[in-house]
Amino acid sequence: MASRGAVREMDRKVRALPLSGHVGLDALPDQLVNKSLGQGFCFNLLCVGETGIGKSTLMNTLFSTDFENLESPHFEPRGKLRARTYGLRENGVQLKLTIVSTIGFGDQMNQQDSYQPIVDYVDAQFESFLQEELKIKRSLHNYHDSRVHVCLYFIAPSGHSLKSLDLVTMKKLDRKVNVIPVIAKSDTISRAELHSFKMKIMSELVSSGVQIYQFPTDDETVAGINGVMNGHLPFAVVGSTEAINVGNKLVRGRQYPWGVVQVENGSHCDFVKLREMLISVNMNDLREQTHARHYELYRRCRLQEMGFRDTEPNRKPASLHQTYTARRQEYLREFHGVEEEMKQMFVQKVKRTEAELKDAEEELQFRFERMKRLHQQEKKRLEEKRRILEEDMNSFNKMRAAVELLQAPSFSTAGKKDKDHKNSGFL
């Protein structure tokens, strides 16, 4: 409040002086226009909707061109996003267009976290821009700004009510991006059902606290048309790039057995309203809202997480150097605390390991001593058996020698008798 008061005080001190001749101040708008035309513009559009709802067809119809479209199956294990950047040119105005489309959104049985990849992508673009801003040497003049400027949320033309996934996803995105709901393939339901469906959608969005993008009415030049178009939300659209002859006129539409749905006919669908509001009237406001509202909210939250603040507790303006120093000291204290805690944990772990090793060593020593005792006992038993065996062998040898001695005289007597008998017979 003090800074605003100081600004008002400075405004009061500014004196208005008349010019006595032409100076050239009226050329400033032309200078801005020429600079903008030279640099070109960027516009990033996010399409959120289930597979096959007509996101790619509507983009081709919206920008009157054929973007590369890759068919996506219904069997993605997890939703993901695909970003494509194109360069468009119309009457000397260059536009770098980035179209981000969801793949596999809502196709899973468990749809609890289907919105998470979308939220992560939007936050990642904010974080990338913030990191570029925080650099010492910035290059924002040629930096490719990938922040999402608008999200077209495609609603299935059921005619009943919004799905829980639709409400949850839009609620998660409304503070991060400008959300514009559209009813896709609106030619599949009748006019009365479509009107009732629109009323039901807006009622459910209000009761759920979802804040969709409202076309601004503070500018007098567009206040009238924007105020009227806010009453047409959500837009019921039909997309088609097929050219069909209707009478003597070639129009874009869809051919049915009962007739032709003309895409650019306001009585058939709201496609022209969407294109006019999105591109011709409010594209710059969408870009400004993204930077001034959604990105600033993200930036403020991130800087507060880093410890930065605008004022000190005593209401004095905070110095960036002081804030950085204080935050650095806080980080150092936290780091030293974590380091000391890790040291204590390491010491305790080393002690536990040493105790475990000591217990294991004692166990091994005990087992070694026991095995040693068993080995000595077994050795004694073997020596005793060997001694007994040697005694048995000695006894056996003695008995054998005795037997041989006893048998020796009998052998000699028998030999003598045989000799005498032979001699007597010979005679």
Side-chain angles (χ1 to χ4, degrees), residues 213-232:
Y213 175 75
Q214 295 289 322
F215 302 117
T217 57
D218 52 354
D219 188 354
E220 296 180 357
T221 59
V222 295
I225 187 173
N226 280 347
V228 174
M229 291 302 170
N230 282 329
H232 287 278

Side-chain angles (χ1 to χ4, degrees), residues 252-313:
R252 286 188 298 176
R254 302 182 71 88
Q255 180 74 53
Y256 291 98
W258 45 263
V260 176
V261 175
Q262 300 180 26
V263 172
E264 295 178 330
N265 190 333
S267 62
H268 290 185
C269 67
D270 297 331
F271 172 77
V272 176
K273 299 182 179 68
L274 173 64
R275 183 178 61 185
E276 185 177 1
M277 290 294 99
L278 186 65
I279 301 175
S280 302
V281 180
N282 297 300
M283 178 181 285
N284 190 57
D285 183 74
L286 290 168
R287 288 158 45 88
E288 291 180 352
Q289 285 291 324
T290 299
H291 181 80
R293 180 186 172 191
H294 302 295
Y295 171 69
E296 284 299 322
L297 176 62
Y298 178 85
R299 176 179 173 273
R300 183 170 67 249
C301 295
R302 287 286 289 122
L303 292 180
Q304 287 176 351
E305 291 177 1
M306 297 179 187
F308 294 99
R309 54 188 180 274
D310 294 330
T311 58
E312 298 288 349

Side-chain angles (χ1 to χ4, degrees), residues 117-298:
I118 307 173
V119 175
D120 294 341
Y121 178 85
V122 175
D123 287 341
Q125 311 318 307
F126 284 154
E127 182 66 23
S128 178
F129 191 85
L130 177 62
Q131 294 300 324
E132 183 66 25
E133 276 193 332
L134 295 178
K135 288 182 179 179
I136 297 177
K137 186 178 180 180
R138 300 181 297 179
S139 301
L140 295 177
H141 63 282
N142 57 2
Y143 173 77
H144 175 55
D145 186 3
S146 58
R147 294 173 297 176
V148 178
H149 297 127
V150 63
C151 169
L152 292 182
Y153 194 93
F154 290 71
I155 300 172
S158 63
H160 301 291
S161 61
L162 289 173
K163 300 178 182 178
S164 300
L165 178 61
D166 298 332
L167 291 172
V168 172
T169 304
M170 282 190 277
K171 183 62 178 176
K172 293 291 183 180
L173 292 175
D174 62 355
R175 297 186 64 187
K176 298 177 179 294
V177 66
N178 303 309
V179 179
I180 299 179
V182 296
I183 302 175
K185 299 182 178 180
S186 61
D187 54 337
T188 58
I189 55 179
S190 65
R191 187 185 299 271
E193 291 175 337
L194 183 60
H195 178 72
S196 176
F197 191 34
K198 282 188 175 185
M199 299 294 292
K200 189 174 295 184
I201 288 174
M202 294 304 297
S203 176
E204 291 180 350
L205 292 177
V206 172
S207 61
S208 301
V210 179
Q211 298 179 359
I212 62 175
Y213 175 75
Q214 295 289 322
F215 302 117
T217 57
D218 52 354
D219 188 354
E220 296 180 357
T221 59
V222 295
I225 187 173
N226 280 347
V228 174
M229 291 302 170
N230 282 329
H232 287 278
L233 291 172
F235 292 126
V237 297
V238 177
S240 176
T241 57
E242 182 181 359
I244 302 174
N245 285 315
V246 178
N248 296 326
K249 188 178 180 181
L250 193 65
V251 298
R252 286 188 298 176
R254 302 182 71 88
Q255 180 74 53
Y256 291 98
W258 45 263
V260 176
V261 175
Q262 300 180 26
V263 172
E264 295 178 330
N265 190 333
S267 62
H268 290 185
C269 67
D270 297 331
F271 172 77
V272 176
K273 299 182 179 68
L274 173 64
R275 183 178 61 185
E276 185 177 1
M277 290 294 99
L278 186 65
I279 301 175
S280 302
V281 180
N282 297 300
M283 178 181 285
N284 190 57
D285 183 74
L286 290 168
R287 288 158 45 88
E288 291 180 352
Q289 285 291 324
T290 299
H291 181 80
R293 180 186 172 191
H294 302 295
Y295 171 69
E296 284 299 322
L297 176 62
Y298 178 85

Side-chain angles (χ1 to χ4, degrees), residues 386-403:
R386 182 179 179 181
R387 184 184 62 79
I388 294 173
L389 181 60
E390 290 178 350
E391 291 178 354
D392 292 342
M393 290 178 64
N394 293 332
S395 299
F396 176 77
N397 290 332
K398 290 179 179 180
M399 293 177 61
R400 182 179 178 181
V403 169

